[in-house]
């Protein structure tokens, strides 16, 4: 994480999005499946934007996604991939 200070916001968002997409695919879920498991108001368009790093999801949204994927929030937010 030592390089975190030199990372651009867009890079961080992209890595987090890639993490979510990788985990979702590993679990055999579509974006629609993931939305169905999230206990919050979110739609597939928002999931798509998050996975592409196009939007800055709130920590609450990331937490809900981690719960739906049954992984620790730290796995989604891991920037060392």
């Amino acid at each position: 994480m030592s390089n975190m200070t030199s990372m651009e916001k867009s890079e961080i968002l992209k890595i987090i999005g890639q993490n979510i997409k990788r985990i979702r695919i590993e679990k055999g879920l579509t974006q629609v499946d993931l939305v169905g498991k999230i206990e919050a108001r979110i739609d597939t368009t928002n999931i798509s934007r998050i996975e592409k790093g196009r939007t800055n999801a709130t920590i609450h949204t990331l937490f809900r996604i981690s719960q739906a994927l049954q992984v620790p929030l730290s796995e989604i937010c891991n920037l060392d991939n």
Side-chain angles (χ1 to χ4, degrees), residues 11-51:
E11 291 175 89
I12 294 169
L13 296 178
K14 187 171 259 189
I15 291 168
I16 290 172
Q18 289 169 348
N19 290 344
I20 292 168
K21 184 175 183 177
R22 175 184 47 77
I23 296 163
R24 176 180 59 75
I25 290 170
E26 286 172 359
K27 295 196 175 265
L29 299 172
T30 65
Q31 289 180 345
V32 173
D33 295 333
L34 178 56
V35 166
K37 291 179 169 283
I38 296 172
E39 296 178 14
R41 289 188 180 160
I42 191 167
D43 60 29
T44 53
T45 304
N46 287 338
I47 292 294
S48 178
R49 282 192 290 236
I50 292 168
E51 287 186 354

Side-chain angles (χ1 to χ4, degrees), residues 53-69:
R54 292 185 180 164
T55 190
N56 190 359
T58 66
I59 193 70
H60 184 257
T61 298
L62 294 177
F63 177 73
R64 294 291 189 166
I65 291 170
S66 74
Q67 285 187 318
L69 292 172

